[in-house]
Amino acid sequence: MTSSAQVAETEPGARMPVPAGPVLRRDRLESIVDIQLRSGAPQVLLVFGPAGTGKTTLLASWARRRVQETGTTAVRWATITARDNEPEVLAATIGAALSGGAGPEPAPVCLVLDEVHELLAPQALRELERWLRELPAGLRVVLLARFPPPLGLARLRVEGRLREIGMAELAFTTAEAAALLTALGHAPTEGELDLLMRHTEGWAAGLRLAAIARAGEPDSADRLLADYLRNEVLGAEPALVRELLTAVSVCEGFTVELAAALSGLAQAGHLVDRLHGARGLLRRTDGDGQWYRCHPLLRHHLHAELTRLRPERAVELHRLAADWFLAAGARILALEHAVAGQRADLAARLVAEVGLTEVLAGRARALAQVLARLPTHVLARPSVALVVAATALATGDTAAAEEGLRRIGHPELPLRSPRLRILSAAILLWRNGIVGEEPAAELLELAEGDSGAPEVDLLVLLVKGGWALRQGDLPSARSVLNRARRLTAAGERRGALLHVLAQQAIVAAVEGELGTARALAASAVRLAEEHEWTATASCGTAHLVLAAEAQLRLAADTARAHLAAAAPVCGGDPLPRLAMGSLAAVLRFETGADPHRALLDLCALWTEYDRPGPVPPWLAAWFSPMALRMALQVGELGRARQIVEHGTRLLGARAEAGLLRAVMQAHRGRLSQARRSLAPVLTGRALPAAAHNLVDAWLLECLLADRLRADRHAHRALCRALALAEPRELLRPFRAAGAPIRDLLARNLGRYGRLEHFATAAAAAPPVERPAVTATLTSRELDLLAELPSMRTAEEIADSLYVSVNTVKTHLRGIYRKLGVNQRRDAVIAARRCGLL
């Protein structure tokens, strides 16, 4: 890049630029140049690309390295100027560079001719072409130019005497860009580097200017970039080319026909072809070669200059683009240009026509940016306000959705068509589901097919399926989501498909079909990655399902990875936030060094849940049994009682309520009560809200039967648990059940038939052991321990526990002995330290 280098003479006849700042050695490209010096390699290397692509810097870096490594003058350098358009001057320039003569065959001389694009005179070009065809065997030539010079290069290619490095190869890779910025003293973060590469596309000059901006001089960097583009990139182009590039700068992509419509130039096709081929200022964006685009930085500069210097022309160009895209059937692009072209009526019509389609296609974020530029009077139109609300809900912006809904329903602007009335009802139900408000009865009676618009029918199904899922009505959710998935097959509705897949994954997971849930969620994530939708709530939901499923399989690392992927996009809706925080707390409890803190965090999440509506029963069923076992494992009896009370209130008559009571009763040694609580669960009279909890129920029944010496019943219960767990790879319940289940599994190995392999794996799952002190205190001692922080006397405690004072004193001595203390105050301190209080 000659603009940032000085020219220094290192040897007679060898003149090469010296960079003004740090230079990154680019081994992948320098190795190509190295090959040029080998015997049998092509004699001519052409390196071409627009100004600022790093051609000169690359070759100067390579040349200095070669001179330093070999200690010879095997590299010669000549910079072509306008004076070299005279053949005699050109010959003298080349002769001076080669004044030392060509080297011997084993060590050829390499001549670098820089700025070859300065050669325009036909006679000078013919002389250079002739000279290149007659190169002596010991000479290699590297041509540096902004575009391929007219030198009969096709013949050299056919003869195998030409190697080329073009714009694509000159562009910095992500790794090279990071290394360059680091060398310049401004190491970027991963996110900054990704953004920078999207804007610069590896353009060397852009990267160096970005380093200036990161150094705290953004205004200076902007001015330098503008000057560089104006003088170095555009300065040598004729006025017609600059006018064409300015006209197409209003569009991200364009065809030759669109370029002609915008510029009014009959020769637009010829200019576009020249700018793409020889000049390299345009790039093709499709396989058919019909669509082109400018480099992002060049387009931004041209458009900024256009709107600053000729705002009326910018508006006119956007209007022309709107008409062209509308005629071509590209209505969303027509909408973007109608907004920029201040055509309010056309914009309002297009929003009503294509807005919901764009939301269902997964382009809500891009649509939101367009809608934000609409004038207030257009936003007030009901058809537009409904699209604004739907777009805001799709992007998690509930405040913007509320603003859009407030514009609907005014007597002056009624919802006249069935389509608008049904769309309004669907959006209200969608909004109620997110904020947790009970919807009006008529909203729940929505049915697809009444609107006359397929995209509205699909939205109705999506929000009804989501509402049924939040209410715990899994059969309805499954049926509605299946119908919605069939509708996503028509048209461009991949965004809606992503939502359906994520919701279906939840249904499958809750119903215990964990393999299906994993497949659906993985499909959702792949779809999101293909379309760059990883920052959507639906993709976050899919990662949450994958994390929860992995946790049940004891794949903790996998669970944490998916949880980390979900974290940035699950913060808007309180419900996914609750699920994500709960799962994170459970994982920290199982693998972390501070289980007490993990339990406190989990309980705080559920206590502080600020959603007005109820928690879905399946979510309470998923985490309440885990939370209860966590509390019991660290001896937090008070919190365990709170978890049972809270969970029972959320779960009602569902099986998990009985499971919670049974676990607590078993912990207190009330085995018969525990079995009575479990009976409705095991017989199917009480149905689970989360199917995998049946495995926990049968394991608890196995433990109770074993403690009651009912060995055959215990074995049958264990086999039932294995049969339920094996198809789902559910290992966590066996781990959570602890050493007694592991011992029972090991004692009965060889008796499980087809379940033998899974039983062996379950027996090998390391159990979570309780603190030793919890295991040694009896249930009566634990009851008494819970009373010790109070100021009540032994007599008052005896009355409340319905035992004698002597019994209280006996248990008190046992507590002191087991805790290693001698008085009540020290017992309370020790119990709190152990997590028993």
Side-chain angles (χ1 to χ4, degrees):
M1 192 168 63
T2 56
S3 60
S4 63
Q6 301 169 340
V7 176
E9 186 165 342
T10 56
E11 296 287 347
R15 297 171 60 84
M16 64 187 70
V18 178
V23 173
L24 176 71
R25 176 171 167 177
R26 305 176 71 187
D27 290 335
R28 68 179 176 90
L29 296 179
E30 289 192 19
S31 63
I32 296 174
V33 189
D34 280 332
I35 293 173
Q36 295 303 113
L37 296 184
R38 296 177 185 171
S39 177
Q43 283 186 284
V44 181
L45 173 65
L46 171 62
V47 183
F48 65 94
T53 50
K55 307 177 294 295
T56 302
T57 302
L58 168 68
L59 266 295
S61 169
W62 169 83
R64 283 191 301 276
R65 177 176 61 81
R66 290 290 302 180
V67 170
Q68 292 168 359
E69 289 177 354
T70 63
T72 68
T73 59
V75 179
R76 311 300 174 87
W77 194 286
T79 299
I80 302 298
T81 68
R83 293 179 61 249
D84 291 298
N85 280 285
E86 298 179 22
E88 297 80 7
V89 176
L90 176 62
T93 298
I94 294 175
L98 292 174
S99 58
E105 184 69 27
V109 166
C110 180
L111 171 63
V112 179
L113 292 179
D114 197 4
E115 306 283 357
V116 175
H117 54 270
E118 292 286 348
L119 291 179
L120 302 174
Q123 183 62 29
L125 289 167
R126 282 196 296 271
E127 287 299 315
L128 179 58
E129 181 179 339
R130 181 190 59 76
W131 181 71
L132 289 174
R133 288 203 305 268
E134 299 172 357
L135 289 176
L139 181 61
R140 303 288 185 267
V141 176
V142 179
L143 305 176
L144 304 184
R146 293 185 177 181
F147 47 84
L151 289 171
L153 299 176
R155 180 174 177 178
L156 292 175
R157 288 192 194 98
V158 170
E159 294 173 352
R161 299 174 62 201
L162 176 68
R163 170 71 164 88
E164 295 169 87
I165 297 177
M167 287 176 56
E169 291 170 295
L170 285 172
F172 276 61
T173 65
T174 301
E176 289 172 340
L180 175 63
L181 290 170
T182 301
L184 293 170
H186 306 287
T189 65
E190 184 176 346
E192 290 170 339
L193 184 61
D194 181 62
L195 182 64
L196 190 60
M197 288 300 290
R198 286 205 302 272
H199 286 172
T200 66
E201 296 183 345
W203 184 43
L207 292 170
R208 288 186 175 273
L209 290 168
I212 295 174
R214 286 173 57 83
E217 303 175 48
D219 292 339
S220 174
D222 289 344
R223 286 194 301 272
L224 286 171
L225 176 61
D227 290 343
Y228 193 89
L229 291 171
R230 190 182 301 113
N231 299 324
E232 296 291 332
V233 177
L234 298 170
E237 301 296 339
L240 281 180
V241 168
R242 294 197 300 273
E243 181 58 32
L244 175 74
L245 291 173
T246 298
V248 298
S249 72
V250 300
C251 298
E252 194 167 312
F254 58 90
T255 64
V256 168
E257 293 79 9
L258 178 54
L262 294 172
S263 66
L265 297 173
Q267 64 271 50
H270 169 72
L271 293 176
V272 167
D273 185 62
R274 178 169 171 266
L275 289 169
H276 168 260
R279 294 318 224 195
L281 293 180
L282 300 180
R283 298 185 185 183
R284 285 198 174 102
T285 60
D286 64 336
D288 296 335
Q290 296 183 2
W291 285 86
Y292 299 84
R293 64 174 178 83
C294 292
H295 187 284
L297 292 178
L298 176 59
R299 177 178 174 247
H300 175 78
H301 165 73
L302 289 167
H303 193 257
E305 292 287 282
L306 173 67
T307 54
R308 183 174 66 88
L309 299 175
R310 294 189 290 167
E312 297 84 3
R313 174 61 173 160
V315 170
E316 178 191 1
L317 287 169
H318 280 295
R319 291 180 174 179
L320 289 170
D323 290 336
W324 192 92
F325 281 116
L326 188 61
R331 292 184 295 175
I332 187 61
L333 292 173
L335 169 60
E336 293 178 9
H337 290 287
V339 172
Q342 302 171 15
R343 295 180 64 181
D345 288 341
L346 176 59
R349 175 165 67 86
L350 289 172
V351 168
E353 290 177 358
V354 304
L356 186 56
T357 301
E358 289 299 298
V359 171
L360 296 174
R363 295 188 285 267
R365 293 187 184 279
L367 178 61
Q369 295 176 357
V370 177
L371 296 176
R373 300 197 296 271
L374 287 172
T376 304
H377 71 278
V378 174
L379 292 172
R381 302 184 187 187
S383 58
V384 175
L386 285 171
V387 172
V388 169
T391 304
L393 290 174
T395 57
D397 189 350
T398 53
E402 297 285 1
E403 181 64 27
L405 289 170
R406 276 195 291 272
R407 297 189 179 106
I408 299 167
H410 293 293
E412 300 84 2
L413 297 169
L415 301 175
R416 299 185 183 279
S417 69
R419 177 186 181 277
L420 290 182
R421 288 194 293 271
I422 293 173
L423 176 57
S424 175
I427 291 172
L428 284 170
L429 182 58
W430 187 2
R431 173 257 181 202
N432 285 2
I434 291 177
V435 302
E437 291 183 8
E438 191 68 25
E442 59 267 21
L443 296 183
L444 298 176
E445 296 172 1
L446 279 174
E448 75 274 20
D450 295 339
S451 70
E455 71 277 7
V456 177
D457 291 343
L458 177 54
L459 182 64
V460 167
L461 290 173
L462 293 178
V463 298
K464 286 190 69 175
W467 181 261
L469 181 57
R470 288 173 183 267
Q471 299 305 302
D473 185 357
L474 298 184
S476 294
R478 188 190 324 108
S479 173
V480 171
L481 289 170
N482 285 342
R483 298 205 302 276
R485 187 167 179 180
R486 286 194 291 271
L487 281 182
T488 63
E492 194 176 359
R493 298 170 179 170
R494 308 294 284 176
L497 176 61
L498 172 62
H499 178 83
V500 170
L501 289 172
Q503 299 291 299
Q504 286 183 321
I506 295 177
V507 173
V510 174
E511 290 184 331
E513 300 298 329
L514 298 178
T516 301
R518 182 164 68 241
L520 287 166
S523 296
V525 170
R526 284 196 300 272
L527 180 63
E529 291 172 344
E530 288 170 7
H531 294 274
E532 298 184 353
W533 293 334
T534 53
T536 62
S538 294
C539 183
T541 298
H543 277 296
L544 272 178
V545 172
L546 290 169
E549 184 272 340
Q551 187 256 350
L552 291 178
R553 291 187 290 108
L554 296 184
D557 289 342
T558 300
R560 281 192 290 270
H562 284 297
L563 205 58
V569 293
C570 284
D573 189 335
L575 202 57
R577 192 166 63 239
L578 175 65
M580 182 176 61
S582 298
L583 186 55
V586 171
L587 287 169
R588 288 202 309 276
F589 181 91
E590 294 181 345
T591 60
D594 192 351
H596 294 281
R597 171 49 55 189
L599 174 64
L600 290 175
D601 290 345
L602 178 60
C603 292
L605 280 169
W606 286 77
T607 301
E608 297 168 3
Y609 182 61
D610 56 1
R611 185 187 180 84
V615 175
W618 50 265
L619 189 59
W622 197 283
F623 287 108
S624 293
M626 294 184 190
L628 177 58
R629 292 190 182 277
M630 288 165 60
L632 293 176
Q633 284 167 12
V634 296
E636 289 272 9
L637 293 181
R639 292 196 182 277
R641 284 193 291 269
Q642 293 172 2
I643 290 167
V644 172
E645 292 170 2
H646 187 243
T648 301
R649 188 166 61 251
L650 292 175
L651 292 162
R654 290 176 175 84
E656 284 83 2
L659 177 60
L660 292 175
R661 289 191 294 269
V663 170
M664 195 68 180
Q665 290 158 349
H667 182 80
R668 292 178 175 276
R670 298 165 184 169
L671 307 187
S672 297
Q673 287 184 13
R675 295 196 71 186
R676 284 196 295 273
S677 296
L678 271 183
V681 181
L682 303 178
T683 59
R685 296 199 304 274
L687 298 177
H692 69 270
N693 285 322
L694 285 178
V695 177
D696 293 89
W698 281 108
L699 288 177
L700 179 57
E701 175 70 4
C702 170
L703 290 173
L704 293 172
D706 182 63
R707 290 174 67 178
L708 293 170
R709 308 294 186 189
D711 294 344
R712 294 177 62 185
H713 184 72
H715 182 69
R716 284 197 299 271
L718 185 55
C719 287
R720 289 293 299 272
L722 289 168
L724 289 168
E726 186 265 346
R728 303 167 174 86
E729 301 179 59
L730 278 175
L731 289 172
R732 188 190 180 281
F734 297 89
R735 180 181 190 269
I741 283 293
R742 183 179 58 179
D743 294 341
L744 281 169
L745 283 166
R747 270 204 321 264
N748 290 280
L749 287 177
R751 298 178 58 196
Y752 300 114
R754 68 174 184 83
L755 300 171
E756 192 70 31
H757 179 75
F758 184 75
T760 302
V768 178
E769 301 291 355
R770 299 171 183 170
V773 104
T774 305
T776 58
L777 289 179
T778 67
S779 60
R780 283 295 188 184
E781 289 169 344
L782 289 170
D783 288 341
L784 177 57
L785 182 63
E787 299 284 349
L788 293 187
S790 71
M791 300 298 293
R792 294 198 291 178
T793 64
E795 290 77 9
E796 291 170 334
I797 293 174
D799 289 341
S800 67
L801 295 178
Y802 301 103
V803 296
S804 68
V805 175
N806 286 336
T807 300
V808 169
K809 292 180 178 178
T810 299
H811 289 322
L812 200 54
R813 287 194 295 272
I815 291 173
Y816 290 171
R817 175 174 52 80
K818 293 173 183 179
L819 292 179
V821 298
N822 296 312
Q823 55 183 338
R824 181 170 173 171
R825 178 177 176 275
D826 292 339
V828 172
I829 294 172
R832 284 176 173 159
R833 188 180 301 118
C834 295
L836 299 177
L837 288 174

